[in-house]
Amino acid sequence: MNNFFKRFASKILPNLKTIIQAAICSVIVWVFISVQVFPDITQHISDVKVECAPTQHMKNENLRITSVDVDTVTIQIEGKRYSISELSGEDFTAHCDLSKIYEAGEHIVDITVEAADASNECEIISKNLTATVSVVKIISREVEVVPNTSGVKIADEMQIEGDISVTPQTVIVTGEERLVNSIGKIEAVPDYDDILDGSAELQSLPVIYNQQGMRMLNTDLSLSEGVFMVNVPVYKVKTLPLNVKFTNSSTNFNLSNLKYSMSITELTIASPDSSIDNIDAIDIGEISLSALTLKDLQGGVALPVKLPDGYKNISGNKTVTVYFENYDQYGQLGFTVPAENINIINAPNNFDVKVLTNVLTVNVVGLSSYIQEMTSDDIYATVNLLGVELSEGTKSVSVSFRLAGTNSRGWVTGEEYKVEIQISLPPEEVDALTPGY
């Protein structure tokens, strides 16, 4: 075997230069033949990126591309080997032809491919390249926002009363036409985990529901507002008994003779704070006996329900009517009070005061058996000048009344009664002012 290699080497080494020259010439001949005999070749180029841009018409009509089923294409080109052998996908551009898209939907469109550099000497022979493009129409719609406080925890003895409001009250929703039109409502749900013990404005987030009442999750919708403020009116509620007061009665009138009832005996109210805890009853108003007529006894007296600012009338009663149960036992008569029954009190000592009114006609309401036995002498009128500014001349002043006896069962009623009085200086002061006195 060693002899074989020695004989082979002895024959090759002297001709090595000739062998190398022959190899080089063979390569040159092969290249020359490839270029001259086979000048053009075809080649596949992969990973040509496909671009898909909306047309101006699509932009004007708010048509938006949501998906394209191809990202890249593979094309076949033809050209000289020396010209195209080094080309790759980056040397070509591919575009979806969207010129025929006028509405939303799925569209099969042509893909056009061009050389990125016009100097590339090749021919693109791929035909019928297509892509499926999904297009939606984008619209905007104003939707009312509804507050939802069902998840808000309220402190004991407190409750939500009144209108719950949200700011802003509407929101602009933008997105795919089908999704936007499927919206049934948008709720503002407070992001609040604590216990609410008073009225408050709570930061809230929007929750979208479709027209079937199902929550819409992961929707490609944009809202003009992302945070809302929900005003939650929280009050303390309490039911209280009602009271009515009678005023301007004679000092000797026995109110126990006046049997009465009310159309409602209690009222449920709400307070914005704990001040309601200090209230045991509600005084709905006053009834002045001096203004209470027989007609009032027969028909009742309606008193408006008035509450302090900030309080709410949960019961909703606007008025309470006071009914007089024994009104059929009452009557009304007119009497003439003589001047001698009109008494002046608290008259200043620097003036003489005289009643000019001779008689005063008044109406008396009371138990029929009582007023039928009365006479004018049983009515006493009083003119109280305490705090009244006086000067010489005549003046009209108010009169109050008292009926005779220790257990009066009637009262003087009607408009405010007045009498005329004359005011003059005492004689000694007049003489002091007389010249030559």
Side-chain angles (χ1 to χ4, degrees):
M1 179 65 74
N2 289 334
N3 292 333
F4 172 79
F5 282 109
K6 288 179 179 180
R7 288 195 302 269
F8 180 77
S10 64
K11 292 179 180 181
I12 290 298
L13 291 175
N15 300 309
L16 183 59
K17 180 178 181 181
T18 302
I19 293 171
I20 293 173
Q21 290 175 345
I24 293 174
C25 289
S26 297
V27 172
I28 293 173
V29 171
W30 180 82
V31 171
F32 176 77
I33 291 173
S34 297
V35 172
Q36 295 300 320
V37 179
F38 303 102
D40 293 323
I41 64 170
T42 60
Q43 182 173 319
H44 286 86
I45 306 294
S46 60
D47 297 328
V48 178
K49 187 176 180 181
V50 178
E51 296 183 359
C52 199
T55 63
Q56 187 59 48
H57 172 78
M58 294 174 65
K59 294 178 181 179
N60 294 341
E61 295 298 319
N62 292 322
L63 296 174
R64 179 184 296 174
I65 299 169
T66 57
S67 67
V68 182
D69 68 341
V70 293
D71 295 323
T72 62
V73 293
T74 299
I75 61 173
Q76 188 176 18
I77 62 173
E78 183 179 79
K80 307 265 184 216
R81 183 186 299 274
Y82 67 84
S83 177
I84 69 172
S85 60
E86 299 298 325
L87 295 179
S88 67
E90 295 180 354
D91 296 305
F92 297 87
T93 60
H95 301 275
C96 292
D97 181 7
L98 308 183
S99 60
K100 296 180 180 179
I101 295 180
Y102 299 102
E103 59 185 14
E106 284 195 350
H107 303 268
I108 298 176
V109 299
D110 294 331
I111 298 176
T112 59
V113 182
E114 297 177 346
D117 188 347
S119 63
N120 289 336
E121 297 179 0
C122 67
E123 179 183 356
I124 301 170
I125 59 177
S126 295
K127 304 295 182 184
N128 301 322
L129 295 176
T130 62
T132 300
V133 180
S134 296
V135 177
V136 297
K137 185 176 180 64
I138 304 301
I139 64 171
S140 293
R141 172 187 164 197
E142 185 177 31
V143 182
E144 181 182 4
V145 180
V146 180
N148 181 352
T149 58
S150 59
V152 177
K153 292 174 286 188
I154 308 299
D156 293 341
E157 299 184 353
M158 307 292 285
Q159 65 185 50
I160 297 175
E161 289 294 340
D163 296 331
I164 302 171
S165 60
V166 58
T167 304
Q169 297 178 345
T170 61
V171 64
I172 303 298
V173 182
T174 302
E176 181 185 344
E177 182 177 26
R178 177 184 59 84
L179 287 176
V180 173
N181 288 335
S182 69
I183 295 175
K185 66 177 179 178
I186 296 180
E187 291 184 344
V189 179
D191 183 18
Y192 190 79
D193 295 328
D194 293 336
I195 297 176
L196 201 61
D197 58 1
S199 299
E201 277 196 338
L202 304 180
Q203 182 171 293
S204 307
L205 301 176
V207 178
I208 306 175
Y209 294 87
N210 62 20
Q211 295 182 1
Q212 288 71 44
M214 302 296 293
R215 185 170 178 176
M216 299 174 66
L217 300 173
N218 302 321
T219 57
D220 187 19
L221 297 171
S222 64
L223 278 63
S224 59
E225 299 288 343
V227 177
F228 301 83
M229 298 304 296
V230 172
N231 180 37
V232 186
V234 176
Y235 289 80
K236 192 162 190 177
V237 178
K238 191 174 183 181
T239 300
L240 297 170
L242 301 180
N243 290 332
V244 61
K245 290 184 177 180
F246 291 90
T247 61
N248 295 328
S249 65
S250 300
T251 55
N252 60 340
F253 177 74
N254 189 352
L255 282 173
S256 63
N257 292 324
L258 200 60
K259 308 295 183 182
Y260 67 90
S261 62
M262 292 182 285
S263 56
I264 58 173
T265 59
E266 60 184 19
L267 197 69
T268 301
I269 63 174
S271 166
D273 49 40
S274 59
S275 61
I276 198 172
D277 291 337
N278 302 319
I279 303 176
D280 296 324
I282 300 175
D283 292 323
I284 60 170
E286 299 178 347
I287 296 177
S288 172
L289 283 181
S290 63
L292 190 63
T293 65
L294 182 61
K295 184 178 179 180
D296 295 329
L297 291 177
Q298 295 170 343
V301 177
L303 298 174
V305 176
K306 296 180 180 180
L307 297 176
D309 291 341
Y311 280 65
K312 288 185 176 294
N313 185 343
I314 306 302
S315 297
N317 300 88
K318 302 299 182 183
T319 60
V320 177
T321 301
V322 179
Y323 296 105
F324 298 91
E325 299 172 2
N326 54 346
Y327 67 89
D328 55 343
Q329 300 177 19
Y330 282 77
Q332 180 171 314
L333 290 176
F335 293 89
T336 300
V337 180
E340 54 267 24
N341 281 18
I342 303 174
N343 184 36
I344 297 177
I345 62 174
N346 294 316
N349 55 18
N350 57 335
F351 283 108
D352 281 340
V353 181
K354 179 182 179 183
V355 177
L356 297 180
T357 302
N358 291 324
V359 292
L360 190 63
T361 302
V362 299
N363 292 315
V364 177
V365 174
L367 290 171
S368 298
S369 59
Y370 173 77
I371 64 175
Q372 287 174 1
E373 296 178 358
M374 282 182 56
T375 67
S376 297
D377 291 336
D378 294 320
I379 304 173
Y380 299 94
T382 300
V383 176
N384 189 351
L385 296 181
L386 182 65
V388 178
E389 184 178 348
L390 300 178
S391 60
E392 284 190 288
T394 59
K395 188 177 183 68
S396 180
V397 292
S398 298
V399 180
S400 61
F401 298 92
R402 180 180 181 277
L403 302 185
T406 58
N407 186 19
S408 170
R409 286 168 288 171
W411 61 88
V412 175
T413 184
E415 299 292 335
E416 182 181 11
Y417 293 99
K418 291 189 175 185
V419 295
E420 292 289 325
I421 60 174
Q422 185 179 37
I423 306 164
S424 59
L425 292 172
E428 57 273 18
E429 291 195 21
V430 173
D431 292 341
L433 295 173
T434 300
Y437 178 75

